[in-house]
Amino acid sequence: MKTFLSIAAACVMAGLATGASAQTISLSAGFLPDPVTFDTYSGGPNQASAIPGSSGCVGTVAVYADVKLNFSSNGGPLNIGVSSQADTSLIIKSPYGWVCDDDTYGLNPALEWDSAPSGWYEIWVGAVGESAPATVVITEGSLN
C-alpha cells in the first residue's frame, strides 16, 4: 500500500511540475476577493532562461504556465507574487512581453505594474534549487 501511495504522490507532483494542472482565470479591475491565490508546485523540467524571449530569467519551470490570467484593466495597478518556503522565481509572459523576477521579498519574487495593461498574463513559478509548494498571489493591493 505504501508503494502505491508513493507512486501516486510522485505522479501528482510530476503532473504539477509539468503544468498539467494549469489554472485559468479572468479578472477585471476592482476584483473581489482581493487577493486571489492559486496553490501550485514550483519548478519543472525546463530552464526558465531557455523560454524564447525570457533570457535572464532563473530557475526551472514547467512546460506550461502554472496560471493563465486574462485581466481587464482600468489603468490601475496589478501585482503578482509568489509565496513559498523555498527559493522561487517568477516568469510572466505579459501583454508587454516577457518579465521575470527573483527574490524581491526575501526568497519570494514579485512583479508589480502601476498601470497594468489589459490582456493575458501567463505565469510560471520557477524553482531556484529544489521544487516546493508555492502560492501565486494576484492583487491590486500590496504584496508586502
Side-chain angles (χ1 to χ4, degrees), residues 92-128:
I92 299 177
K93 183 179 181 185
S94 76
Y96 288 134
W98 289 96
V99 291
C100 52
D101 186 65
D102 182 31
D103 300 342
T104 292
Y105 299 113
L107 297 178
N108 291 314
L111 289 162
E112 302 169 334
W113 290 266
D114 291 330
S115 181
S118 292
W120 283 97
Y121 293 76
E122 296 180 48
I123 305 163
W124 281 261
V125 178
V128 182

Side-chain angles (χ1 to χ4, degrees), residues 1-6:
M1 184 68 164
K2 281 185 178 180
T3 302
F4 173 75
L5 291 176
S6 295

Side-chain angles (χ1 to χ4, degrees), residues 50-105:
I51 298 172
S54 69
S55 63
C57 297
V58 299
T60 60
V61 294
V63 174
Y64 302 104
D66 295 295
V67 177
K68 294 180 180 180
L69 166 65
N70 186 8
F71 184 63
S72 179
S73 178
N74 66 358
L78 178 66
N79 303 311
I80 302 172
V82 176
S83 177
S84 179
Q85 296 299 312
D87 192 0
T88 55
S89 61
L90 181 60
I91 300 92
I92 299 177
K93 183 179 181 185
S94 76
Y96 288 134
W98 289 96
V99 291
C100 52
D101 186 65
D102 182 31
D103 300 342
T104 292
Y105 299 113

